[in-house]
Amino acid sequence: MSDLFAWQSFSGMRPKAIRLLRWSDLDVSDWTLSLDSREDKNKYGRDLAVEGEAREIFERRRAARQPGDVYIFGGRKPISHSTLLRAWGQALAETELPCGMEGGYVPYDLKKTALRAIRRSGVPEERAMYFSGHKTARTFRRYDVVASEDNREDVARVTEYRKKRFADKGGEKTDRGSKLLRISR
């Protein structure tokens, strides 16, 4: 089950869509995952490259595959929603994280984690939306929440920028803004 959670935290796909991924969707000749529009909530079929961390996940799944398995993250049948939730509860218990709707973590939080990582890595919004299967920017942005560590990184970037931009170099070539900053000292 950890591979299913790893794929969700990487791809941002909905848990139901992940549970329904079939081996026939994965083309290992060019490592492409073809998502069928009929099984997507938004009826938005797409092809995703399977490289790096994603490929490691699918290679582990291939190594664990049994004859007759149809589903990548299941077997002959897709993993049920209740089985997924039980595994999620166990995973959180092992990591001592709170579980549940009352302030705890739910499997959908992995989708938020994935989409934030995709955006923070520099993937443009339109391509990130294709990756995650979102049709509208408004819906996509609901998942792009700002975490406290994002804020710390932003403050560090602003500090670094200000040091470079407003360095008091003296003379006429000094930035006008750096001259104004002397007022606050």
Side-chain angles (χ1 to χ4, degrees):
M1 201 61 78
S2 62
D3 282 338
L4 185 147
F5 297 141
W7 176 246
Q8 186 180 4
S9 74
F10 180 83
S11 70
M13 286 178 66
R14 293 171 186 84
K16 182 179 180 182
I18 295 171
R19 291 186 297 122
L20 296 176
L21 287 175
R22 293 178 173 85
W23 285 110
S24 58
D25 299 334
L26 181 64
D27 182 353
V28 294
S29 67
D30 68 350
W31 285 95
T32 302
L33 185 64
S34 296
L35 305 174
D36 191 336
S37 62
R38 293 173 294 180
E39 292 184 0
D40 186 51
K41 176 183 174 186
N42 289 330
K43 307 295 180 216
Y44 189 60
R46 59 201 186 280
D47 292 334
L48 300 177
V50 179
E51 298 294 331
E53 184 181 347
R55 186 164 168 175
E56 291 171 13
I57 294 167
F58 285 98
E59 285 178 342
R60 281 194 304 270
R61 299 308 312 145
R62 280 184 72 202
R65 185 179 183 185
Q66 300 293 315
D69 281 356
V70 175
Y71 295 92
I72 295 173
F73 295 101
R76 294 172 192 245
K77 298 187 306 186
I79 294 170
S80 69
H81 182 68
S82 59
T83 300
L84 176 86
L85 291 179
R86 274 194 305 277
W88 179 253
Q90 279 183 307
L92 290 179
E94 289 171 12
T95 56
E96 298 178 3
L97 291 171
C99 180
M101 301 302 281
E102 321 243 331
Y105 294 96
V106 295
Y108 230 75
D109 288 329
L110 291 174
K111 184 176 181 73
K112 294 175 188 173
T113 299
L115 298 183
R116 277 201 342 257
I118 291 167
R119 287 296 293 136
R120 303 302 185 279
S121 69
V123 174
E125 185 174 278
E126 307 80 43
R127 293 196 342 233
M129 287 172 52
Y130 175 84
F131 195 79
S132 66
H134 284 93
K135 281 189 171 182
T136 65
R138 182 178 178 206
T139 304
F140 176 81
R141 288 186 194 129
R142 285 198 320 233
Y143 291 95
D144 194 16
V145 295
V146 176
S148 59
E149 59 267 15
D150 295 331
N151 181 255
R152 289 189 185 286
E153 290 174 14
D154 294 343
V155 168
R157 281 189 195 120
V158 170
T159 300
E160 196 58 37
Y161 172 82
R162 288 170 59 90
K163 282 181 186 175
K164 291 178 185 172
R165 175 79 171 121
F166 300 124
D168 192 357
K169 300 173 186 113
E172 291 302 311
K173 294 194 175 199
T174 300
D175 187 286
R176 286 177 51 126
S178 65
K179 293 175 183 175
L180 288 174
L181 289 175
R182 290 184 202 149
I183 296 170
S184 64
R185 291 185 186 160

